[in-house]
């Protein structure tokens, strides 16, 4: 059953990819618009990651200073307890100093790592913004070229129609006029035929007399 469902899923996925490929071939601008929308969504995700990294850096900085202040405080207190010959208090302060210092060092390292990661993220985010801006400008250029191509197509279509149709219209008019002339001539010949015959008959009688 699993194999059947997998084959069905792969088949549907393949059909969708084929449909998308056909759409891209038929309307590349629409496909580019869709790609840009997806890229803008990805850019927004990266922007949120950059903001989160800023917050993490600030949190590490805050925790580092807190731990370092406590470590320094305990170190100073250890010195006071030592001078006062308070062994138990001295031991407690030293142990606390060591723990806070370890925490401060860890937070400092984490902060430095967060800063490096933030710089890398910011660089990549800026690169992404530049590339998206270039893509938007490229889309504008392509749309301009597409508009010109459509306009030229419409112009050529109109020019072809206006260059061909007048001649066909003239031919139609000539045929119509010729038809009218034929009708007029035929009608005239028929209407004068009788009078011409009568005239010929009279001329023949006059010659006979």
């Amino acid at each position: 059953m699993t194999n059947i469902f997998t084959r069905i899923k792969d088949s549907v996925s393949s059909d969708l990819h084929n449909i998308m490929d056909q759409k891209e071939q038929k309307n590349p601008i629409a496909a580019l618009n869709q790609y840009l929308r997806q890229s803008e969504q990805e850019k927004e995700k990266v922007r949120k990651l950059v903001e989160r990294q800023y917050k993490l850096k600030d949190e590490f900085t805050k925790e580092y200073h807190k731990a370092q202040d406590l470590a320094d405080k305990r170190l100073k207190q250890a010195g006071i307890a030592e001078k006062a010959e308070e062994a138990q208090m001295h031991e407690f302060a030293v142990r606390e100093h060591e723990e806070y210092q370890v925490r401060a060092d860890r937070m400092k390292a984490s902060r430095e790592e967060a800063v490096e990661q933030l710089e890398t993220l910011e660089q990549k985010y800026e690169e992404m913004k530049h590339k998206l801006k270039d893509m938007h400008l490229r889309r504008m250029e392509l749309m301009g070229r597409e508009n010109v191509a459509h306009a030229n197509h419409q112009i050529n279509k109109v020019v072809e129609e206006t260059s061909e149709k007048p001649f066909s219209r003239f031919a139609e008019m000539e045929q119509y006029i010729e038809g009218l002339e034929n009708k007029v001539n035929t009608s005239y010949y028929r209407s004068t035929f009788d009078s011409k015959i009568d005239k010929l008959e009279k001329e023949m009688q006059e010659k006979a007399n």
Side-chain angles (χ1 to χ4, degrees):
M1 288 295 290
T2 303
N3 290 334
I4 292 173
F5 286 128
T6 302
R7 285 201 298 269
I8 291 172
K9 185 183 72 173
D10 293 341
S11 177
V12 171
S13 177
S14 176
D15 290 342
L16 286 173
H17 285 304
N18 289 334
I19 291 169
M20 289 302 296
D21 290 341
Q22 290 173 6
K23 284 186 176 180
E24 287 181 5
Q25 290 173 3
K26 289 180 180 178
N27 196 343
I29 296 296
L32 179 59
N33 288 338
Q34 176 66 19
Y35 180 75
L36 281 171
R37 282 193 293 271
Q38 292 173 349
S39 298
E40 287 291 347
Q41 292 172 357
E42 293 300 319
K43 187 187 79 170
E44 183 63 18
K45 291 178 183 177
V46 174
R47 185 188 67 79
K48 289 179 180 178
L49 287 173
V50 171
E51 288 182 356
R52 188 183 301 172
Q53 194 68 15
Y54 264 109
K55 290 179 181 178
L56 279 172
K57 184 201 75 170
D58 292 341
E59 287 295 322
F60 283 134
T61 301
K62 180 181 176 182
E63 292 297 329
Y64 161 67
H65 286 303
K66 186 190 292 185
Q68 190 62 57
D69 288 345
L70 287 170
D72 294 341
K73 181 180 177 181
R74 288 290 186 264
L75 182 63
K76 183 179 179 182
Q77 290 171 340
I80 294 171
E82 186 178 17
K83 286 181 181 179
E85 296 182 350
E86 291 286 345
Q88 188 176 358
M89 294 180 67
H90 175 262
E91 183 181 351
F92 174 81
V94 169
R95 188 167 62 250
E96 286 272 296
H97 162 72
E98 290 175 351
E99 290 179 359
Y100 283 129
Q101 190 60 55
V102 168
R103 184 184 301 171
D105 292 341
R106 189 170 76 248
M107 290 299 99
K108 183 180 180 181
S110 296
R111 180 187 179 278
E112 289 174 354
E113 185 179 1
V115 169
E116 290 178 3
Q117 291 171 343
L118 179 60
E119 289 176 354
T120 302
L121 274 176
E122 284 182 321
Q123 289 176 2
K124 291 186 178 298
Y125 180 58
E126 288 300 317
E127 288 175 9
M128 179 181 280
K129 288 198 296 184
H130 284 303
K131 286 182 179 179
L132 273 173
K133 183 64 176 178
D134 290 339
M135 287 173 66
H136 278 292
L137 295 175
R138 183 69 187 277
R139 180 187 64 171
M140 290 170 60
E141 292 170 351
L142 289 173
M143 288 175 67
R145 286 163 57 187
E146 186 184 41
N147 288 338
V148 170
H150 280 310
N152 286 333
H153 176 71
Q154 290 299 117
I155 291 169
N156 292 335
K157 185 178 178 182
V158 171
V159 169
E160 287 174 3
E161 288 180 353
T162 54
S163 62
E164 291 176 0
K165 285 187 176 179
F167 291 110
S168 61
R169 292 281 171 82
F170 282 130
E172 290 175 6
M173 289 297 293
E174 285 178 356
Q175 290 177 1
Y176 177 72
I177 291 170
E178 286 178 2
L180 281 178
E181 287 177 346
N182 289 333
K183 287 180 181 179
V184 169
N185 291 336
T186 302
S187 177
Y188 175 76
Y189 185 79
R190 284 176 181 172
S191 64
T192 58
F193 182 78
D194 290 339
S195 60
K196 288 179 179 178
I197 289 294
D198 291 340
K199 184 180 179 181
L200 285 173
E201 187 178 10
K202 285 180 182 179
E203 290 177 352
M204 289 173 65
Q205 286 177 354
E206 286 176 358
K207 286 182 181 180
N209 293 330

